[in-house]
Amino acid sequence: MKIHKRYISAFIALMLSVPAFAQVPAAAPKQSKPVLLKGATLHIGNGQVVENAAVGFDKGKITYAGPQSGANLSGYDVVDVTGQHIYPGLIHPNSTLGLNEIESVRATIDWREVGDLNPHVRSVIAYNTDSDIIPTIRTNGVLMTQVTPVGGTISGTSSVVQLDAWNWEDAIVKADEGIHLNWPNMLIATGNSAYDARLGRMKEQREEALNQLTSLFRDAAVYKSGKHDNENLKLASTAGLFDGSKKLYIHANYGKEIIESVNFAKQHGVKNIVIVGGQDAVAVADFLKANNIAVIYSGVHALPSRAEEDVDMPYKTPYLLHKAGVTFALDYDLSIHGIRNLPFIAGTATAYGLDKEQALASISLNTAKILGIDKQAGSVEVGKDATIVVSSGDLLDMRTNNVTLAFIQGRKIDLSNKQKYLYEKFDNKYKEEKKTPATVTTSAGN
């Protein structure tokens, strides 16, 4: 088929005319020389705050974090951030970021696999580092996320990635760190005739799902013992659950489901368990604490799950979990676009009892501990990755949050994004229109 030259020329011209803002910023190069930030208030992430502080880092690692008076400035490129605040890079758990771009376009969705039991599915290999959404999230200080599959009874394995990379291999912070289990919902009669008519069949399906889970975990335990002749990728992928090298993330909300699922996992020898969702976590806090179960709490910005609950129950749940001694982290589960609001749900929790540094820990160090990356991330401490955020205002306050600098493993990242460009574009447009009012031309007869 022949294509006319003018069409080719038009296509080339169109491609060349696409503005740079439409592209995701290129990944930053490795840190080439030592950097020292001085003069800011340092929020370490472990509850401590240092006024008039300095943070130095070299080759991607933090070399100094403390009072400015104790910093050695020799050999460092000094950046004066006086009056600003330094925070650890925020971490968002339980996310489909990079797996889902446009929900109405099937080709951009790669967050689930066919089948119900998929412990061997690796979500990270589908992670798209060129997602347009990623730069908008970095703008508010979220620099790492847990790429998590969805769907089925066992969705697959999650991995932790940093948000400035050329490809998924470069992005990995911790690969295949946990398996995600969606616990089958408990079912009760509601008085709704249409629902109750299907209740019997739904209970049968739940029982079938539990039987399948029991068979899988029993087979996995036998497989791990070495009593097999052929390799089974599905069973091999679960081995880490029994020696503690992988975590089992159980997605459950109802209190009885939380207790049932934890008991199930412990009976089958699972070492590390985390509850994801946890709307009823406060009601079973004693059980969670006694069993050393951490919670990734979803839905701070949500309505109560029951009509009889206080209207502000989701807002004060983080404080109540902290008060009960349960280790918890926060996630923003409403949409991938909303992940940028992660610091603000922590801010909401501070208005309902949680201390500001405790709230910061719930989206930084606590999350790192739960994900098993706290030796390299989650707080601004010597020896850890220099994944750092600098804000001219309070990072947890929507009104004053203004990230001016961000570093991932010591690399200064580009904070531009399409939304910033569009804001500036139209802001300038209307400013120019105000300077030059439009003139109205009338006909001679008027």
Side-chain angles (χ1 to χ4, degrees):
M1 182 177 68
K2 292 183 178 180
I3 302 177
H4 199 284
K5 287 184 179 179
R6 73 170 181 267
Y7 294 128
I8 297 176
S9 300
F11 177 77
I12 294 173
L14 177 62
M15 292 299 100
L16 292 175
S17 68
V18 176
F21 80 87
Q23 307 302 317
V24 174
K30 288 184 178 179
Q31 183 181 4
S32 59
K33 45 191 173 181
V35 175
L36 186 115
L37 309 174
K38 70 165 190 173
T41 299
L42 170 60
H43 304 261
I44 293 177
N46 60 3
Q48 299 178 37
V49 178
V50 181
E51 300 290 344
N52 194 23
V55 176
F57 48 95
D58 186 21
K59 297 178 182 177
K61 297 291 183 179
I62 297 172
T63 56
Y64 180 81
Q68 183 178 326
S69 58
N72 179 7
L73 307 183
S74 177
Y76 283 83
D77 276 358
V78 178
V79 181
D80 191 344
V81 288
T82 300
Q84 301 194 58
H85 299 262
I86 299 175
Y87 299 89
L90 306 184
I91 310 168
H92 188 275
N94 185 35
S95 164
T96 58
L97 181 66
L99 306 180
N100 172 28
E101 192 74 4
I102 306 171
E103 292 188 9
S104 60
V105 180
R106 177 64 185 87
T108 71
I109 301 174
D110 199 4
W111 58 18
R112 68 174 295 165
E113 192 53 80
V114 176
D116 287 328
L117 302 174
N118 295 303
H120 56 300
V121 170
R122 304 181 67 217
S123 62
V124 72
I125 63 174
Y127 174 67
N128 174 24
T129 56
D130 288 325
S131 169
D132 278 333
I133 302 169
I134 291 173
T136 69
I137 289 164
R138 300 189 314 199
T139 300
N140 278 352
V142 181
L143 303 184
M144 284 181 281
T145 192
Q146 180 193 34
V147 181
T148 306
V150 299
T153 304
I154 296 183
S155 307
T157 64
S158 58
S159 295
V160 182
V161 298
Q162 48 87 3
L163 301 183
D164 185 62
W166 286 105
N167 50 57
W168 65 265
E169 294 96 335
D170 293 344
I172 288 176
V173 174
K174 188 173 184 180
D176 306 323
E177 41 75 37
I179 293 176
H180 290 257
L181 165 60
N182 299 299
W183 192 251
N185 293 332
M186 286 185 168
L187 303 164
I188 59 173
T190 63
N192 182 308
S193 57
Y195 174 84
D196 291 346
R198 304 192 306 271
L199 195 57
R201 176 55 184 156
M202 291 164 67
K203 286 183 176 180
E204 290 177 6
Q205 291 173 339
R206 181 178 193 272
E207 195 64 32
E208 183 180 349
L210 292 175
N211 289 336
Q212 289 176 345
L213 280 174
T214 300
S215 296
L216 176 68
F217 277 81
R218 284 177 178 171
D219 291 346
V222 172
Y223 186 87
K224 186 181 182 301
S225 69
K227 300 176 181 179
H228 58 84
D229 297 323
N230 301 315
E231 184 177 12
N232 184 312
L233 295 179
K234 180 179 287 189
L235 297 180
S237 67
T238 65
L241 296 178
F242 307 106
D243 61 20
S245 59
K246 274 187 180 180
K247 292 189 175 170
L248 181 63
Y249 295 93
I250 302 176
H251 295 246
N253 283 302
Y254 183 42
K256 289 184 178 180
E257 292 171 356
I258 292 173
I259 294 173
E260 180 186 42
S261 62
V262 169
N263 286 336
F264 173 90
K266 291 177 76 69
Q267 287 167 8
H268 287 89
V270 177
K271 300 295 183 185
N272 290 323
I273 304 167
V274 177
I275 293 296
V276 181
Q279 289 183 3
D280 274 359
V282 171
V284 293
D286 291 342
F287 171 83
L288 294 171
K289 184 179 179 182
N291 288 277
N292 195 29
I293 306 297
V295 175
I296 296 175
Y297 178 64
S298 304
V300 173
H301 285 179
L303 292 172
S305 57
R306 295 179 178 83
E308 65 272 17
E309 288 182 341
D310 293 343
V311 70
D312 57 0
M313 186 63 187
Y315 305 154
K316 62 186 180 183
T317 290
Y319 166 70
L320 295 175
L321 288 174
H322 173 76
K323 187 177 178 182
V326 176
T327 300
F328 72 96
L330 302 179
D331 84 335
Y332 191 95
D333 69 333
L334 300 182
S335 75
I336 52 174
H337 303 84
I339 293 173
R340 76 192 75 174
N341 293 321
L342 180 66
F344 308 141
I345 64 171
T348 297
T350 67
Y352 287 82
L354 200 63
D355 176 84
K356 277 209 169 183
E357 300 309 312
Q358 296 164 355
L360 174 63
S362 73
I363 52 177
S364 57
L365 187 56
N366 283 7
T367 312
K369 288 178 179 178
I370 292 171
L371 301 183
I373 59 170
D374 54 301
K375 290 184 179 180
Q376 65 189 102
S379 60
V380 186
E381 297 180 89
V382 173
K384 292 193 175 185
D385 288 349
T387 300
I388 298 168
V389 174
V390 180
S391 174
S392 62
D394 184 345
L395 193 69
L396 308 188
D397 185 352
M398 185 180 289
R399 297 167 300 177
T400 62
N401 172 304
N402 179 40
V403 174
T404 57
L405 291 169
F407 301 85
I408 293 180
Q409 297 169 342
R411 298 176 290 110
K412 183 181 177 182
I413 65 170
D414 188 340
L415 291 172
S416 63
N417 61 56
K418 185 183 294 186
Q419 293 173 349
K420 278 187 174 182
Y421 173 87
L422 292 174
Y423 171 80
E424 291 169 1
K425 173 183 175 180
F426 289 102
D427 185 51
N428 290 335
K429 174 181 184 293
Y430 293 119
K431 283 179 180 176
E432 289 300 318
E433 288 184 356
K434 286 181 179 179
K435 291 179 183 177
T436 313
T439 57
V440 179
T441 303
T442 60
S443 63
N446 293 333

